[in-house]
C-alpha cells in the first residue's frame, strides 16, 4: 500500500502522528482480566449500555418487533435446552424409547385409555403438510409457542427497589433496570445481598461496594462471601462481553485477587455451591501454549498422569455452557442424520448434474453438500457467488432452501447473486430467520421448513445464535456455514466458525475466487500478514497521514464532504467512516459530531437527533441496524433502518441510538459501501490487530482512504498481531461427538 502523490486530488498533503483515546474494540486475550471488556464485546459500547429487555419498537398494530421476537426465541431455546438436560438424569418413562409412528400410536392409546380423547379423534390421520424427506433416527420436537413480549416490572416493584437504592445512595434511575434484572422480590434481594446490584448492566464493582457499605455499615467487608460470589459472576459476564464463553481457573482467581477478594478460591467455590457458576474439566489432546493444565487425581489423591489425559479447568456461566453443549450436539446431529439416497430426494446423479453445470469452487461446494450434512465454505466477498450458485442448484433440484446473511445489506447482495427477490424467502437475515419474521417458517414439529440452510457471514455467529439455528434444523437437513475467516469474530461470545474449522469435523471448501481490484489485492495481502504496496491508478486506495486527532477529524470531514465526492464520484451518503472505538479525541463520538455539523447541522431537538441524521440502532446488545432519522413525535423517534420503519420510544433513545456517519468495525461487519474512510489516530496503535485492519479495509467496494497517524504500527499490527484469543469450549466438545467424521 503506497502513499501516492496523486492523492492530492482526494486529500491535501499532510504531516505526522496523532494522540487520541478511543476505546479499543478488540477483545482482551483469554486469561487477561476481563473487567474492562464491556466496550470490546459486541463490537461497540452499545452492547454494554443496551439491555436485552423489551424493545419499544413495536409496530402500530401491536405486533411484536423483531427484537422482541428474537429475545423470546432465545428464552424458549434456553428453556428447551434445560428441559432436555434435566431429562438426561430423570427416570425414563415406559415407551419413551419409541420413535416415529410407534411413539404416536402409544401416545394415542394412552390418550384413549385416560379418556382424554375419543377413539375416532385419537387415531384420525393428520392433515398432510408440506412433503418432507424421511430422516434417519428422527427427533420429535415440540412446536414453539407464539413468542410473548417480556413483562415490564410493575410500578410497585420499581418503587420498592427505588426506596432501597435511595437508602444505599444509588441513583433512583437504576430502579427499573434492577427490578428487571433481579425479578420478583428485587428489593428484598438487594437488602439481603447488596452486591446483587452488579447484575444491573453498567454497574461497576466500586459502585456496588459503596452501595453495600451504605446499607450494611460495618457488617460488610472485602472478604464478605456475598461479595466474592457476585464478583465471580460479574467477571464471567464481562468475559462474555469480551467474547469468552468460559475463563481459565487461574485467570478468574487472578482477576478476583485484583478486586481485593482475600480468598479467590473460596469465592469461586461459593459461587459453584450456589449454582451461579459451572466448572468444567476439559480433556486436552494438546494443551494450548501457556494454558494451565491439570492431571486428574487418582484414588490416593495423588495426580495420576498415566490414568487420564491432562485437563484444563474452566469456569463459566450456565447460559453459555448450555448453548455450547447444545450447539455441539446439534452439529453432530446434522452430520449424522443426513438421509440415504432412497428416492425421496435428489439422487447422486441429480447432484452431479447440478455440479457439472457450475465451475470451479462452486462445483466443489455442490458436490460436498450432496454427500455431507455439514459443509464449511471460506472466501471473500467475490466468493459469495459460490453459495449463491449452491442455492440456485438446490432450488432446481426441488429442495426447500434458504440462505441467511448477517445484515440486510448482506441479504441484498445475496439476492443480486441468486437473482431472486427477498419475498421469495430464499434470502433472509439471521435475526429475521430466528425471530420468525422472515421465511421459511416452521413445520409441524417446530423445525424450520427447509432441506438446506446456507449461512453467510458465519464468523459473525455467536454461540447462542448458532445454537438456536442448529437446534431449529429438521432431521435430514443440510447446513452450510460460509464466511471470510480473516474478519473479526462475532460481537457476542464464542468463535463458532473458527472452532468448527479447527475441529475438522466436516468437509471444508476453500474458494479460489479472489476479490478484484486494488482494494481486493490489498485486503488479500493483509489476510496473510503482509501490508503490500498496490497499484491504484484511479486512486482506489489513498493514504492520508495526519499529525494529531484534531487533524484526523478535519481531514476525515474533508474527505467525506468534498474530496471523495469530487474526485471519486461517490456521494457523502454512500461513504462510511470506520474507526477503532467510540471514545477519545478521534473516536466515533467526536467524528460524528464533526460530520453532523458539516453534513446535517441542526439543534438536535429529540435526544440530539434531527431528521436526516445517519444513525445506528442497537435494539439488543450485539445487533446493530444502520439507518436514518425520519422524524420525531410523541410516539418516539422514527427511523428507517435497512429499509424498514422503526419507532424508538423516547426513554430508549439514549441507550439504543447513536449517530453513524462514523462506526466501529464490529458495527460495520457484514456491510459494504462504495467508499470507506478508515481513521487510525495515533493512540489506536495498541488496539490494532490483523483481523481489525482486514475487516475495516474490506468494507470498501470502490475506494478506500486511510487517515492514519499510527505510522509503522499499522504494518506491525498486520504482520505480528493475529486475532486475540477467546476461551471457548466448542472445539473440545466436538471431539467426542464426531469420532467418525474426525
Amino acid at each position: 500500500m503506497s502513499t501516492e502523490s496523486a492523492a492530492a486530488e482526494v486529500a491535501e498533503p499532510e504531516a505526522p502522528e496523532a494522540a487520541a483515546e478511543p476505546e479499543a474494540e478488540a477483545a482482551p486475550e483469554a486469561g487477561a482480566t476481563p473487567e474492562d471488556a464491556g466496550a470490546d464485546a459486541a463490537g461497540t459500547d452499545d452492547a454494554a449500555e443496551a439491555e436485552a429487555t423489551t424493545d419499544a419498537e413495536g409496530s402500530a398494530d401491536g405486533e411484536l418487533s423483531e427484537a422482541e421476537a428474537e429475545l423470546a426465541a432465545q428464552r424458549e431455546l434456553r428453556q428447551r435446552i434445560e428441559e432436555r438436560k434435566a431429562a438426561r438424569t430423570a427416570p425414563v418413562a415406559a415407551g419413551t424409547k419409541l420413535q416415529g409412528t410407534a411413539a404416536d400410536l402409544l401416545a394415542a392409546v394412552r390418550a384413549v385409555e385416560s379418556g382424554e380423547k375419543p377413539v375416532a379423534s385419537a387415531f384420525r390421520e393428520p392433515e398432510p403438510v408440506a412433503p418432507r424427506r424421511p430422516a434417519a433416527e428422527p427427533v420429535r420436537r415440540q412446536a414453539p409457542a407464539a413468542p410473548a413480549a417480556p413483562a415490564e416490572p410493575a410500578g410497585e416493584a420499581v418503587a420498592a427497589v427505588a426506596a432501597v437504592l435511595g437508602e444505599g445512595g444509588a441513583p433512583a434511575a437504576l430502579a427499573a433496570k434492577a427490578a428487571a434484572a433481579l425479578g420478583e422480590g428485587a428489593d428484598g434481594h438487594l437488602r439481603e445481598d447488596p452486591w446483587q446490584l452488579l447484575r444491573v448492566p453498567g454497574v461497576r464493582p466500586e459502585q456496588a461496594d459503596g452501595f453495600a457499605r451504605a446499607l450494611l455499615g460495618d457488617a460488610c467487608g472485602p472478604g464478605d462471601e456475598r461479595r466474592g460470589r457476585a464478583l465471580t459472576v460479574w467477571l464471567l459476564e464481562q468475559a462474555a462481553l469480551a467474547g469468552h464463553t468460559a475463563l481459565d481457573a487461574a485467570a478468574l482467581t487472578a482477576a478476583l485477587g485484583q478486586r481485593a477478594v482475600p480468598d479467590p478460591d473460596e469465592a469461586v467455590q461459593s459461587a459453584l455451591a450456589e449454582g451461579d457458576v459451572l466448572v468444567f474439566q476439559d480433556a486436552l489432546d494438546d494443551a494450548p501454549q501457556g494454558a494451565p493444565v491439570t492431571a486428574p487425581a487418582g484414588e490416593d489423591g495423588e495426580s495420576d498422569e498415566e490414568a487420564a489425559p491432562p485437563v484444563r479447568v474452566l469456569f463459566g456461566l450456565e447460559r453459555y455452557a448450555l448453548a455450547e453443549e447444545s450447539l455441539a450436539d446439534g452439529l453432530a446431529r446434522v452430520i449424522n442424520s443426513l438421509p440415504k439416497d432412497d428416492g425421496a430426494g435428489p439422487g447422486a446423479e441429480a447432484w452431479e448434474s447440478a455440479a457439472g453445470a457450475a465451475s470451479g469452487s462452486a462445483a466443489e461446494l455442490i458436490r460436498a453438500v450432496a454427500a455431507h450434512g455439514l459443509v464449511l465454505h471460506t472466501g471473500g466477498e467475490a466468493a459469495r457467488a459460490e453459495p449463491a450458485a449452491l442455492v440456485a442448484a438446490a432450488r432446481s433440484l426441488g429442495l426447500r432452501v434458504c440462505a441467511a446473511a448477517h445484515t440486510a445489506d448482506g441479504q441484498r447482495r445475496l439476492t443480486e447473486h441468486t437473482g431472486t427477490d427477498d419475498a421469495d424467502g430464499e434470502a433472509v437475515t439471521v435475526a429475521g430467520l430466528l425471530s420468525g419474521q422472515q421465511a421459511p417458517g416452521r413445520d409441524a414439529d417446530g423445525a424450520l421448513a427447509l432441506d438446506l440452510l446456507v449461512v453467510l457471514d458465519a464468523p459473525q455467529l455467536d454461540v447462542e445464535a448458532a445454537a438456536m439455528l442448529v437446534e431449529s434444523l429438521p432431521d435430514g437437513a443440510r447446513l452450510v456455514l460460509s464466511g471470510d475467516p480473516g474478519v473479526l469474530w462475532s460481537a457476542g461470545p464464542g468463535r463458532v466458525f473458527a472452532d468448527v474449522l479447527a475441529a475438522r469435523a466436516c468437509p471444508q471448501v476453500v474458494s479460489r475466487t479472489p476479490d478484484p481490484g486494488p482494494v481486493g489485492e490489498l485486503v488479500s495481502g493483509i489476510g496473510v500478514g503482509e501490508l503490500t504496496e498496490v497499484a491504484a491508478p484511479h486512486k482506489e486506495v489513498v493514504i492520508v497521514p495526519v499529525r494529531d486527532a484534531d487533524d484526523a477529524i478535519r481531514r476525515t470531514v474533508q474527505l467525506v464532504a468534498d474530496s471523495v465526492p469530487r474526485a471519486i464520484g461517490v456521494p457523502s451518503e454512500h461513504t462510511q467512516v470506520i474507526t477503532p472505538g467510540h471514545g477519545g479525541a478521534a473516536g466515533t463520538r467526536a467524528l460524528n459530531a464533526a460530520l453532523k455539523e458539516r453534513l446535517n447541522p441542526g439543534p438536535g431537538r429529540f435526544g440530539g437527533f434531527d431528521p436526516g441524521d445517519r444513525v445506528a440502532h442497537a435494539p439488543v446488545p450485539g445487533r446493530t441496524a444502520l439507518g436514518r432519522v425520519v422524524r420525531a413525535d410523541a410516539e418516539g423517534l422514527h427511523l428507517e433502518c435497512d429499509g424498514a420503519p422503526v419507532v424508538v420510544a423516547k426513554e430508549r433513545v439514549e441507550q439504543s441510538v447513536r449517530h453513524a456517519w462514523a462506526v466501529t468495525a464490529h458495527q460495520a461487519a457484514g456491510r459494504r459501501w462504495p467508499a470507506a474512510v478508515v481513521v487510525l489516530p495515533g493512540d489506536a496503535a495498541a488496539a490494532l490487530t490483523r483481523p481489525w485492519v482486514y475487516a475495516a479495509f474490506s468494507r470498501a467496494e470502490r475506494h478506500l482512504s486511510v487517515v492514519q497517524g499510527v505510522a509503522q504500527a499499522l504494518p506491525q499490527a498486520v504482520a505480528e498481531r493475529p486475532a486475540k484469543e477467546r476461551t471457548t469450549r466448542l472445539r473440545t466438545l466436538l471431539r467426542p461427538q464426531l469420532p467418525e467424521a474426525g
Side-chain angles (χ1 to χ4, degrees):
M1 183 171 54
S2 62
T3 306
E4 302 182 20
S5 58
E9 292 185 37
V10 178
E12 309 154 10
E14 292 302 325
E17 251 175 74
E21 292 185 2
E23 298 166 7
E25 190 172 85
E29 297 185 12
T33 304
E35 59 202 47
D36 297 320
D40 304 331
T44 98
D45 291 338
D46 303 326
E49 295 171 4
E51 297 178 302
T53 56
T54 303
D55 186 70
E57 307 159 21
S59 60
D61 60 4
E63 292 183 358
L64 294 178
S65 69
E66 180 180 335
E68 290 172 338
E70 181 179 346
L71 290 171
Q74 289 177 354
R75 288 196 304 277
E76 177 205 335
L77 171 67
R78 288 197 291 273
Q79 180 181 358
R80 197 158 64 237
I81 293 172
E82 290 169 0
E83 290 173 352
R84 193 169 62 190
K85 182 178 179 182
R88 294 177 180 174
T89 57
V92 179
T96 55
K97 294 290 186 179
L98 298 178
Q99 295 180 342
T101 303
D104 294 338
L105 289 172
L106 178 61
V109 169
R110 288 179 173 170
V112 172
E113 290 175 345
S114 64
E116 182 181 344
K117 288 185 178 181
V119 175
S121 63
F123 290 94
R124 182 181 298 124
E125 288 293 328
E127 291 296 324
V129 294
R132 190 170 140 202
R133 299 193 320 274
E137 300 181 1
V139 177
R140 309 296 292 181
R141 292 182 180 78
Q142 182 179 359
E152 289 284 350
E156 298 82 2
V158 174
V161 171
V164 179
L165 292 176
E167 293 177 27
L174 292 176
K177 293 181 180 180
L182 298 178
E184 186 178 354
D187 56 326
H189 295 321
L190 283 175
R191 287 190 185 280
E192 294 176 9
D193 184 356
W195 287 281
Q196 290 296 305
L197 191 65
L198 280 173
R199 294 186 182 271
V200 179
V203 175
R204 297 190 61 80
E206 52 269 23
Q207 296 166 329
D209 286 341
F211 177 68
R213 282 194 297 271
L215 278 185
L216 304 178
D218 296 337
C220 72
D224 193 298
E225 183 181 14
R226 295 167 293 182
R227 180 176 184 267
R229 284 200 307 268
L231 282 174
T232 300
V233 173
W234 182 82
L235 286 168
L236 289 172
E237 288 172 344
Q238 297 306 301
L241 289 176
H244 309 288
T245 60
L247 277 184
D248 288 318
L252 180 58
T253 54
L256 286 168
Q258 292 177 3
R259 289 287 171 184
V261 176
D263 191 341
D265 289 325
E266 183 180 348
V268 173
Q269 292 303 318
S270 176
L272 286 172
E274 291 294 322
D276 295 331
V277 174
L278 301 179
V279 63
F280 313 100
Q281 293 188 11
D282 290 343
L284 298 178
D285 294 336
D286 51 339
Q289 186 175 2
V293 175
T294 305
E299 295 181 1
D300 57 356
E302 297 293 331
S303 176
D304 188 356
E305 298 186 4
E306 295 183 1
V311 298
R312 182 171 56 160
V313 178
L314 300 172
F315 295 98
L317 300 175
E318 183 180 32
R319 170 181 177 180
Y320 305 115
L322 289 175
E324 264 186 320
E325 290 175 2
S326 175
L327 177 56
D329 290 343
L331 290 173
R333 178 176 61 86
V334 170
I335 290 176
N336 296 321
S337 69
L338 187 65
K340 297 179 180 179
D341 185 4
D342 55 3
E349 292 183 2
W351 280 106
E352 183 56 37
S353 176
S359 61
S361 302
E364 185 180 350
L365 178 60
I366 294 171
R367 290 189 177 97
V369 171
H372 300 86
L374 176 65
V375 175
L376 305 182
H377 171 263
T378 60
E381 180 63 25
R384 294 169 79 94
E386 294 161 13
L390 169 64
V391 169
R395 184 201 317 143
S396 69
L397 295 175
L399 296 180
R400 299 170 299 174
V401 60
C402 179
H406 181 59
T407 63
D409 180 62
Q411 177 187 6
R412 175 190 59 79
R413 287 181 279 125
L414 177 61
T415 57
E416 292 175 355
H417 281 298
T418 59
T420 60
D421 188 85
D422 292 355
D424 296 339
E426 286 188 359
V428 300
T429 64
V430 171
L433 181 65
L434 291 176
S435 65
Q437 299 287 319
Q438 295 176 317
R442 296 185 181 258
D443 63 18
D445 293 330
L448 292 170
L450 49 76
D451 302 306
L452 169 63
L453 175 62
V454 180
V455 181
L456 284 80
D457 309 311
Q460 301 309 312
L461 282 178
D462 61 56
V463 68
E464 289 186 298
M468 291 177 68
L469 276 178
V470 175
E471 177 71 18
S472 298
L473 286 175
D475 298 303
R478 294 171 167 89
L479 173 64
V480 175
L481 299 178
S482 173
D484 189 339
V487 300
L488 288 168
W489 288 334
S490 62
R495 49 172 193 178
V496 173
F497 193 55
D499 281 340
V500 180
L501 278 170
R504 298 190 177 277
C506 62
Q508 302 177 15
V509 178
V510 180
S511 174
R512 297 187 294 277
T513 306
D515 287 341
V519 175
E521 181 182 350
L522 173 64
V523 171
S524 295
I526 293 172
V528 296
E530 298 177 0
L531 193 65
T532 57
E533 183 174 333
V534 298
H538 303 292
K539 305 178 183 66
E540 294 90 344
V541 179
V542 172
I543 312 302
V544 183
V546 293
R547 294 182 297 272
D548 52 32
D550 291 339
D551 197 20
I553 292 175
R554 183 177 67 84
R555 306 301 294 141
T556 300
V557 173
Q558 178 198 350
L559 284 165
V560 174
D562 178 58
S563 300
V564 171
R566 174 172 47 83
I568 309 300
V570 177
S572 299
E573 57 267 26
H574 294 154
T575 301
Q576 184 61 57
V577 177
I578 303 171
T579 192
H582 291 299
T588 62
R589 297 188 185 97
L591 285 166
N592 276 317
L595 288 163
K596 174 176 172 54
E597 182 179 355
R598 174 68 182 273
L599 298 174
N600 194 45
R605 290 193 180 96
F606 197 94
F609 299 97
D610 294 294
D613 281 357
R614 286 172 65 171
V615 293
H617 175 229
V620 293
R623 213 185 79 229
T624 302
L626 301 184
R628 291 182 178 277
V629 176
V630 178
R631 68 181 189 279
D633 55 26
E635 189 180 0
L637 188 66
H638 292 253
L639 313 176
E640 182 182 355
C641 293
D642 296 327
V646 175
V647 181
V648 185
K650 183 177 180 180
E651 61 272 14
R652 295 281 298 169
V653 169
E654 183 179 357
Q655 294 177 345
S656 62
V657 183
R658 291 179 180 272
H659 285 109
W661 285 280
V663 298
T664 62
H666 266 115
Q667 289 177 314
R671 301 174 175 88
R672 280 166 65 88
W673 292 268
V677 178
V678 178
V679 182
L680 305 174
D683 66 340
L688 297 180
T689 62
R690 184 188 305 160
W692 194 97
V693 177
Y694 184 100
F697 285 17
S698 61
R699 299 309 93 198
E701 292 178 342
R702 292 170 46 194
H703 172 78
L704 171 67
S705 284
V706 182
V707 179
Q708 75 109 336
V710 294
Q712 292 305 307
L714 178 58
Q716 182 181 7
V718 170
E720 301 175 8
R721 295 182 194 164
K724 290 187 176 181
E725 285 299 321
R726 291 183 176 186
T727 305
T728 63
R729 302 180 58 236
L730 181 58
R731 183 180 177 185
T732 302
L733 291 170
L734 284 173
R735 286 177 187 154
Q737 296 277 11
L738 309 167
E740 296 180 5

